[in-house]
């Protein structure tokens, strides 16, 4: 049973005042009273058997299916209907009954993984705007359910920006009293699954008059915290990234449900490896905080709780994997507790016979040392560290009337009139950056035919042609400031606006939306930082506040390699001049040549995580550092003041 949500970004002809068409209802084989939301025909097959069971095949065929006398073939007919459906069992008397889902083995139970989008308030004050679900059985998605829902109340503006669902889109959609009975049928007899599922269930219960769903419930958020300890974050996007899942959540119900379903299938494997056999046992894990039985955990015990680099070594003294950690013992433990579902890590753990380590003074030194060791040793399990090349550009084609930023491979040749930024390593970061730019600038979203109705984005003021913006105005108001923003030559006010919006979402307890906006902001900041640090020519000094109060860190880089690193008080002009002079005199072109590790990217990644002001300056003389250090210290002090006053 699938219903396609309404709302599209394509342009439609006609007057802007045209009344929106009534949205299609979710398809169903039943009839429902739109006035009361109650059944107007006999209940579903599952409901009939559950209410009357155990029930004979003759009774099912005559009273539910309304079939004529089958001359003794009723059992065969009903068997065909329930074949392969784990929700039903024939008992010793030949009658059919339903099965309690909690008693089913994990790999036999039917699951419905769902997600809702809402107006933005709590379940008591808000309403559902979209519901999406996928039915999973035997490790496969066997059915889908999706519908927009008219919440009969306004959608909060920040939710519109987050999900793209507008009041206009849902104005003609079915109400919750119409959608809920169909959703109830879709989940009958199944285990209900979701990420932070009790939030979604609270809205479903409110839509059902305060009555919660009777189904067993599994929460992928709680399961992942039990089965995959050691992650920094457990939001859906983080788990999708951790497990290497291609389906990306995008704050639309069906897409998020599909991504959650793939995460859940990974967690099912971990549940079974932990000795959990039934749905009931998995439900019990929520409260018991049971951990997976450790594997080779003794190998982590000798490690210190300090920054450093660790080496996984096999029985033949071969280094299998090199990693870095802020806390060596805590990081290595995560490999041996059975809590990582990636197949590669499972194989690695089986081969490990010894863990060696080298302590470093700081996390950054661990990052740099890890990079150098991977290049030196080429461990079999460090595929990501083997000379990964920057292979993507961000391009704007000035030959087009309304240029759009897009990711292109490095193999494409540059053309006249095309602005090209890069190269960059991460396609994902570039895609996130492009998505964020669509929130900052009114990029072209449609063909902009004159006389047509504004497209979906145009209705939100986010499509230049629909807003009546001419081509020259588009270049001046969109293309030029967009390029300046990505080059780090201006546009900070745009980022500040996004940061302020993220703060509003967090204050409203919309943490998933705030996290998504944070990722978009980070995408742009990483592109800016990469250009100012990684792509710069000559010897560069990168200055950032230290985690130690009153200290500023200076990183000297040349040709992609870290030449020197030190921490200074902002007023220590003499120490800074001596440091700069030694850095300029002491490096060797043979050491810092492009054939060596590209450590500038490691430094850029480290600085981005710190979330502090960063400035880069071309280092040509020993006195170049002092003014930059003072400026960064002032920016850090101002930022701290803003945070204290917030």
């Amino acid at each position: 049973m699938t219903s396609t949500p309404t709302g599209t970004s394509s342009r439609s002809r006609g007057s802007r005042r045209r009344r929106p068409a009534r949205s299609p209802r979710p398809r169903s084989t039943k009839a429902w009273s739109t006035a009361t939301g109650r059944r107007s025909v006999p209940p579903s097959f599952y409901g009939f058997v559950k209410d009357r069971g155990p029930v004979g095949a003759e009774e099912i065929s005559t009273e539910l299916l309304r079939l004529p006398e089958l001359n003794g073939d009723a059992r065969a007919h009903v068997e065909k209907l329930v074949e392969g459906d784990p929700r039903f069992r024939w008992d010793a008397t030949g009658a059919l009954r339903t099965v309690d889902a909690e008693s089913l083995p994990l790999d036999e139970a039917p699951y419905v993984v769902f997600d809702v989008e809402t107006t933005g308030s709590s379940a008591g004050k808000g309403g559902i705007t979209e519901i999406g679900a996928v039915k999973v059985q035997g490790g496969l998605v066997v059915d889908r359910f999706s519908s927009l829902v008219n919440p009969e109340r306004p959608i909060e503006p920040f939710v519109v920006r987050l999900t793209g669902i507008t009041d206009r889109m849902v104005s003609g959609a079915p109400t919750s009293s119409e959608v809920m009975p169909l959703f109830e049928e879709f989940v009958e007899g199944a285990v209900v699954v979701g990420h932070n599922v009790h939030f979604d269930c609270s809205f479903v219960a409110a839509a059902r008059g305060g009555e919660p769903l009777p189904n067993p419930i599994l929460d992928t958020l709680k399961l992942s915290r039990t089965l995959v300890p050691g992650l920094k974050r457990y939001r859906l996007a983080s788990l999708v990234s951790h497990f290497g899942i291609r389906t990306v959540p995008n704050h639309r119900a069906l897409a998020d449900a599909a991504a959650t379903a793939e995460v859940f299938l990974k967690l099912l494997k971990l549940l079974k490896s932990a000795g959990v056999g039934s749905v009931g046992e998995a439900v019990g894990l929520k409260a018991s905080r049971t951990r997976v039985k450790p594997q080779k955990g003794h190998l982590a015990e000798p490690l210190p709780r300090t920054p450093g680099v660790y080496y996984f070594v096999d029985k033949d003294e071969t280094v299998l994997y090199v990693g870095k950690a802020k806390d060596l013992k805590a990081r290595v433990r995560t490999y041996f507790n059975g809590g990582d579902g990636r197949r590669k890590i499972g194989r690695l753990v089986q081969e490990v016979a010894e863990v060696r380590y080298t302590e470093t003074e700081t996390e950054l030194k661990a990052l740099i040392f890890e990079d150098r060791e991977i290049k030196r040793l080429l461990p079999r399990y460090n595929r990501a560290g083997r000379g990964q090349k920057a292979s993507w550009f961000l391009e704007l084609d000035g030959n087009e009337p309304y240029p759009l930023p897009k990711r292109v491979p490095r193999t494409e040749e540059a053309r006249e009139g095309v602005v090209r930024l890069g190269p960059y390593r991460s396609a994902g970061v570039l895609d996130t950056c492009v998505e964020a730019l669509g929130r900052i600038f009114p990029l072209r979203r449609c063909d902009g035919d004159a006389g047509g109705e504004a497209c979906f984005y145009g209705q939100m003021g986010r499509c230049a042609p629909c807003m009546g913006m001419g081509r020259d105005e588009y270049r001046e108001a969109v293309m030029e400031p967009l390029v300046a923003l990505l080059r780090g030559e201006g546009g900070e006010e745009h980022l500040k606006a996004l940061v302020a919006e993220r703060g509003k979402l967090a204050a409203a307890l919309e943490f998933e939306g705030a996290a998504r906006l944070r990722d978009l902001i980070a995408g742009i900041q990483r592109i800016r930082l990469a250009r100012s640090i990684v792509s710069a020519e000559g010897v560069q000094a990168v200055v950032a506040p230290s985690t130690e109060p009153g200290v500023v860190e200076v990183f000297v880089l040349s040709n992609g390699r870290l030449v020197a690193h030190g921490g200074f008080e902002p007023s220590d002009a003499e120490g800074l001049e001596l440091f700069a002079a030694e850095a300029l005199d002491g490096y060797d072109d043979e050491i810092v040549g492009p054939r060596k590790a590209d450590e500038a990217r490691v430094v850029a990644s480290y600085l981005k995580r710190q979330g502090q002001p960063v400035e880069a300056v071309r280092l040509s003389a020993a006195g170049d550092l002092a003014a930059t250090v003072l400026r960064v210290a002032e920016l850090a002090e101002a930022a701290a003041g803003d945070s204290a006053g917030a």
Side-chain angles (χ1 to χ4, degrees), residues 74-239:
R75 170 69 183 256
H77 185 79
V78 174
E79 281 180 344
K80 290 181 181 179
L81 294 178
V82 300
E83 183 179 3
D85 193 330
R87 298 178 300 167
F88 301 97
R89 290 285 190 276
W90 295 97
D91 66 15
T93 66
L96 189 66
R97 61 179 179 85
T98 58
V99 176
D100 180 8
E102 287 200 21
S103 68
L104 291 171
L106 284 175
D107 51 4
E108 292 184 15
Y111 303 95
V112 170
V113 187
F114 86 106
D115 181 75
V116 300
E117 302 299 336
T118 71
T119 56
S121 300
S122 63
K125 298 179 180 179
I128 297 173
T129 59
E130 187 178 40
I131 186 166
V134 294
K135 186 171 290 184
V136 176
Q137 189 168 328
L140 299 173
V141 174
V142 297
D143 206 352
R144 293 174 174 84
F145 180 100
S146 177
S147 178
L148 289 172
V149 182
N150 186 348
E152 302 179 285
R153 67 202 75 188
I155 305 173
E156 295 185 16
F158 77 89
V159 176
V160 173
R161 292 190 291 273
L162 179 68
T163 67
I165 300 174
T166 64
D167 290 325
R168 179 171 181 169
M169 288 173 61
V170 299
S171 62
T175 64
S176 60
S177 64
E178 297 172 273
V179 174
M180 273 305 116
L182 302 180
F183 181 67
E184 291 169 12
E185 180 184 346
F186 190 76
V187 303
E188 282 181 330
V191 181
V192 169
V193 182
H195 197 71
N196 194 18
V197 69
H198 295 288
F199 170 84
D200 303 274
C201 285
S202 68
F203 277 87
V204 171
R208 301 179 74 233
E211 186 70 23
L213 290 170
N215 309 62
I217 295 174
L218 288 175
D219 188 348
T220 54
L221 174 60
K222 293 184 178 180
L223 286 175
S224 61
R225 283 174 174 165
T226 296
L227 297 166
V228 194
L231 298 184
K232 290 184 178 179
R233 299 182 182 90
Y234 288 89
R235 56 191 179 89
L236 181 57
S238 299
L239 292 172

Side-chain angles (χ1 to χ4, degrees), residues 585-605:
D585 294 340
Y587 79 92
D588 187 338
D589 286 337
E590 175 62 24
I591 295 177
V592 301
R595 295 179 291 114
K596 300 298 182 179
D598 187 4
E599 294 164 1
R601 296 185 184 276
V602 178
V603 173
S605 177

Side-chain angles (χ1 to χ4, degrees), residues 232 324 363 367 602 604-612:
K232 290 184 178 179
K324 50 78 178 59
E363 182 185 6
L367 288 166
V602 178
S605 177
Y606 170 79
L607 292 175
K608 184 67 215 71
R609 293 206 311 268
Q610 306 308 309
Q612 296 280 3

